Amino acid sequence: MTSRPLIFTDIDGTLLDHFDYSFNHAIDVIEALNERHIPIIANTSKTFAEMEKLQQTIGINSPFISENGAVVYIPIGYFSEQPQGTFEQGYYWVKEFCPPRQHWLDLLSQQAVEFEDEYIGFSSFSVEELCEVTDLAPDKARLALVRHYSEPLLWQGDEKRKQEFIDYMTALGAHMLQGGRFLHIGGESDKGKAMNWLAQVYAKQYQSAVTTIALGDSGNDSAMLEAADIAIQIKSPTHEFPVLRKKQTIKSQECGPKGWAECITATLLTQSQANTSNPISLGGV
C-alpha cells in the first residue's frame, strides 16, 4: 500500500524567516506542493486570526493547527464529512484540545503571584509594545494578540527562576512550552497530539495510509517532531537544534524558509522526479 504525504509545519522561524517574517525562499516549493495536491498544514503557536490571514497570503487552503496544538480549524467542506468531535464555528469545523485562555489567565493571576514581576504576558501588551518586541507590523501584531486557548509570556527573570516557574505551573496542571521568543502556557495539548488526530482524519478521507512529515525549529515543535514519521529540524539563527528523543532526524543546512525549501525538496519533491519505487504516493487527491 502506498502512503500519502502530509506536511505539518511550524511557521515562525521555519516557514517564515525569524527576522523579517518572509516566506519568499519557499514560494517555489509551496507552489510545487500545491500542484501535487500535497497538503501543507500549519502547526503553530499563531492565533486563528493570524493564520486565517496568513493562509490567504501564502496561498494554501488546508486545515491548520493553532496555539501549539490547542485547536484544529478545518474549512467546512474540506473533507467529505464533518469529523467526529468537531463543532461548526464560522466557516470552520473546530476541534478543541484544552480549556480556553481565560482559565490560564486566572491561574496566573491567582496562583503565581510570586512570579508576576518576572514575565510580561500577551494580555498586558499593547499593539505598539508587541511590535517593539517582535518587529511585527502593527496589523500583524493586532492579530497576534487575539488569542483563545493559550497565553505567551515574555520571561524577564533568569533561567533558574524560569525553571522554577515552569515546574510550579506544571504542578498546577498547565502545559509549558518554550518557543523561539515566548514561553507559552496552555493545556495538556501539544502539536504532536493535534497532528496525530488530524492525520487520522486525512487517512479516513483518503482511505489510505498517510506519512506525516513535520518541520520545526524550536522546543515547542518537539512533540510534533517526535510524533512524526519523518522529522525535519530547521536550523535557527538564534539557537541550537533542540535535542529530541527520536534518534533519526533530518537537519537543514540553511535557516528558516531556505532550510524548509531545501529539506522538502530533498525529502519529497526529488522523489517525484526520480523514476523509483517510492512508497509515498505523490498523486492528487
Side-chain angles (χ1 to χ4, degrees):
M1 175 185 287
T2 59
S3 181
R4 302 287 292 274
L6 304 173
I7 296 173
F8 289 85
T9 180
D10 175 51
I11 297 298
D12 290 332
T14 298
L15 185 55
L16 300 185
D17 184 85
H18 178 84
F19 297 108
D20 65 11
Y21 300 99
S22 168
F23 62 95
N24 289 342
H25 292 292
I27 288 176
D28 289 345
V29 174
I30 291 169
E31 291 177 350
L33 294 170
N34 286 340
E35 289 173 2
R36 291 163 173 79
H37 303 285
I38 299 173
I40 304 170
I41 303 154
N43 197 351
T44 176
S45 63
K46 285 187 175 297
T47 66
F48 167 80
E50 288 179 286
M51 283 310 306
E52 191 172 46
K53 179 71 173 177
L54 188 59
Q55 296 253 114
Q56 296 171 7
T57 302
I58 295 175
I60 54 179
N61 189 40
S62 304
F64 58 90
I65 300 167
S66 182
E67 299 194 42
N68 287 318
V71 59
V72 178
Y73 294 98
I74 303 168
I76 291 175
Y78 182 86
F79 296 117
S80 58
E81 60 183 39
Q82 181 174 349
Q84 289 186 344
T86 65
F87 61 90
E88 288 192 17
Q89 180 177 293
Y91 298 104
Y92 294 87
W93 291 319
V94 181
K95 170 67 174 178
E96 294 180 325
F97 290 91
C98 76
R101 180 190 194 188
Q102 191 59 49
H103 174 83
W104 310 113
L105 292 177
D106 291 343
L107 195 67
L108 286 167
S109 64
Q110 296 169 15
Q111 301 291 329
V113 177
E114 68 171 290
F115 296 98
E116 65 183 2
D117 294 331
E118 297 180 79
Y119 66 83
I120 304 173
F122 254 45
S123 56
S124 63
F125 274 116
S126 67
V127 170
E128 293 74 19
E129 288 169 336
L130 187 59
C131 289
E132 184 176 343
V133 170
T134 63
D135 292 326
L136 284 170
D139 59 331
K140 293 182 179 179
R142 194 170 290 107
L143 296 177
L145 289 172
V146 184
R147 310 193 74 80
H148 299 291
Y149 296 95
S150 60
E151 174 74 350
L153 309 172
L154 184 63
W155 187 255
Q156 304 284 284
D158 60 31
E159 286 299 311
K160 180 176 181 294
R161 284 290 286 172
K162 182 169 77 170
Q163 189 57 54
E164 291 174 0
F165 174 67
I166 290 172
D167 293 342
Y168 180 76
M169 297 308 296
T170 300
L172 292 176
H175 189 54
M176 309 297 290
L177 284 171
Q178 179 63 60
R181 287 184 176 87
F182 297 97
L183 178 63
H184 299 260
I185 176 172
E188 269 303 323
S189 56
D190 61 50
K191 291 184 175 185
K193 293 176 184 176
M195 178 185 72
N196 285 340
W197 179 86
L198 186 53
Q200 290 173 9
V201 176
Y202 269 102
K204 182 178 179 181
Q205 170 74 14
Y206 289 161
Q207 296 186 332
S208 167
V210 295
T211 296
T212 53
I213 302 168
L215 303 96
D217 73 300
S218 67
N220 71 338
D221 300 313
S222 295
M224 172 179 66
L225 294 169
E226 297 280 9
D229 296 314
I230 299 173
I232 300 174
Q233 294 184 276
I234 300 301
K235 185 178 180 180
S236 171
T238 64
H239 57 260
E240 299 297 321
F241 290 111
V243 177
L244 302 177
R245 293 189 304 273
K246 185 186 283 283
K247 292 182 179 179
Q248 291 187 330
T249 65
I250 298 167
K251 292 181 172 143
S252 73
Q253 298 297 311
E254 300 285 352
C255 295
K258 281 187 178 180
W260 192 95
E262 163 205 331
C263 291
I264 289 294
T265 299
T267 303
L268 196 58
L269 295 183
T270 53
Q271 295 180 11
S272 68
Q273 297 165 359
N275 185 18
T276 63
S277 56
N278 177 18
I280 300 177
S281 171
L282 297 170
V285 175

